[in-house]
Amino acid sequence: MRVLNIEVPPQLAARWRTWLAPEQQPLFLTAAEAHTFGLSTVPRADDALAPETRDTFTVWAVAPQADQVVWVDRAHCEALPPGLRRALLRAQVSHGRGNVPLGRAYADLWPGLPRGRLLWAPEHLSPAVLTRWAERDGLPCQRAQVPSTVWAGAAALLPGARALAGTFPEGSAGNCFGAVMGAAGVPGAAQTWMGRKPFEAFLRAQARPGGRDDQPGTVLVWRSADGLVQHAAVTLGGGWALHKPAQTWWTPRVVLPVVALKHYSRSRGQRLERWRLVGAEEVRHGPQR
């Protein structure tokens, strides 16, 4: 199975199906909704969720007022009166929970799916359905178009870039900061959910302000108005760049033309700055004069 021009091993695709269609999954409700629907809930405890569960259901985006959760299995959900089931799924969309697909978006691939909102069952997730789902927001990786001379030129500053380019993570580990650090050769960074503080420390230690988009090793950093770093990518040279667009398990490390990557990554209220990765000699002794 190929997703966004990247081969997905069968064992990883099987894990995707497990994460998308677990036997039990959370429905988030306000206390008033729980009362209206007549459902017994427990208080939300996001910290108790597995990382893949948080990603699958975009728990970080769920509205704070939906502070109650009910865990349902598919059979229970299917047995609910149709009107109640539709209201519950609409509430999930309203609250920001992910993985509540519209059946009509996949009806040509799986005839008989309900046209409205649904919860996946494993049998729905054929390779074609899974591919369409995973490709819905991404841009195809163009790793194959990068000349060997570009990889060779990037190797000194970005020893991990070529191995990372065009790969999916094994699970909910790794984000845009970790991908940049891993490309720069920081051991284990690409497989780690890297916070802002270690990424900022990496910039201060291994980069200097400035850099050019056509040269390898320019770290592109997007900051919000409060100065917090929100996203990062790194140039490979020759007009190419590498990034992991999001923290989620279905988001690969993709290579794109720098222009396309910047267009894809820009967000209202954020500014782009550049940092130039430096060699080991400059890290030890400072800029050469």
Side-chain angles (χ1 to χ4, degrees):
M1 186 174 79
R2 289 185 68 81
V3 175
L4 298 172
N5 285 340
I6 299 169
E7 194 66 30
V8 179
Q11 62 272 25
L12 182 57
R15 290 201 292 273
W16 286 10
R17 293 185 180 93
T18 299
W19 294 330
L20 284 171
E23 187 57 39
Q24 285 197 322
Q25 55 183 272
L27 300 179
F28 301 99
L29 302 169
T30 65
E33 287 169 338
H35 177 76
T36 298
F37 294 144
L39 296 173
S40 178
T41 62
V42 296
R44 239 170 93 179
D46 296 351
D47 291 344
L49 300 176
E52 288 76 20
T53 301
R54 289 196 296 270
D55 274 1
T56 300
F57 304 112
T58 60
V59 174
W60 61 85
V62 174
Q65 62 267 27
D67 59 359
Q68 302 295 304
V69 63
V70 56
W71 288 84
V72 298
D73 58 40
R74 289 188 300 275
H76 178 206
C77 192
E78 289 301 316
L80 293 173
L84 175 57
R85 184 170 63 251
R86 288 193 296 270
L88 272 171
L89 296 183
R90 284 197 300 268
Q92 300 315 290
V93 176
S94 175
H95 293 321
R97 200 204 90 155
N99 197 29
V100 194
L102 275 169
R104 69 176 69 99
Y106 303 89
D108 59 319
L109 303 178
W110 195 272
L113 275 180
R115 293 187 59 79
R117 298 288 176 180
L118 55 86
L119 302 181
W120 290 123
E123 60 268 22
H124 295 151
L125 295 168
S126 66
V129 169
L130 201 55
T131 298
R132 181 176 294 178
W133 178 87
E135 290 187 338
R136 67 200 186 283
D137 297 322
L139 296 178
C141 180
Q142 299 183 38
R143 183 188 191 279
Q145 282 70 57
V146 179
S148 58
T149 52
V150 169
W151 291 117
L157 289 173
L158 299 167
R162 193 168 191 175
L164 281 176
T167 63
F168 281 93
E170 291 298 310
S172 292
N175 55 8
C176 62
F177 307 143
V180 170
M181 294 168 66
V186 178
Q191 291 75 43
T192 302
W193 197 97
M194 197 64 64
R196 290 187 174 99
K197 286 186 177 180
F199 180 71
E200 295 280 19
F202 159 79
L203 285 180
R204 291 192 299 272
Q206 299 195 36
R208 305 290 181 263
R212 289 169 41 185
D213 291 358
D214 61 344
Q215 296 295 313
T218 298
V219 182
L220 306 174
V221 176
W222 284 264
R223 295 187 186 275
S224 49
D226 57 9
L228 293 177
V229 58
Q230 301 296 336
H231 185 55
V234 67
T235 62
L236 303 171
W240 298 97
L242 169 73
H243 79 154
K244 190 176 189 296
Q247 69 181 39
T248 47
W249 53 256
W250 61 86
T251 306
R253 301 110 174 178
V254 298
V255 175
L256 296 170
V258 176
V259 171
L261 187 148
K262 290 194 297 184
H263 179 78
Y264 179 88
S265 301
R266 69 185 181 186
S267 183
R268 184 183 297 274
Q270 294 182 12
R271 58 182 174 84
L272 173 61
E273 66 182 34
R274 292 167 176 81
W275 290 72
R276 174 180 58 88
L277 290 174
V278 297
E281 192 68 20
E282 189 170 339
V283 168
R284 285 195 298 268
H285 302 297
Q288 301 298 306
R289 298 186 185 277

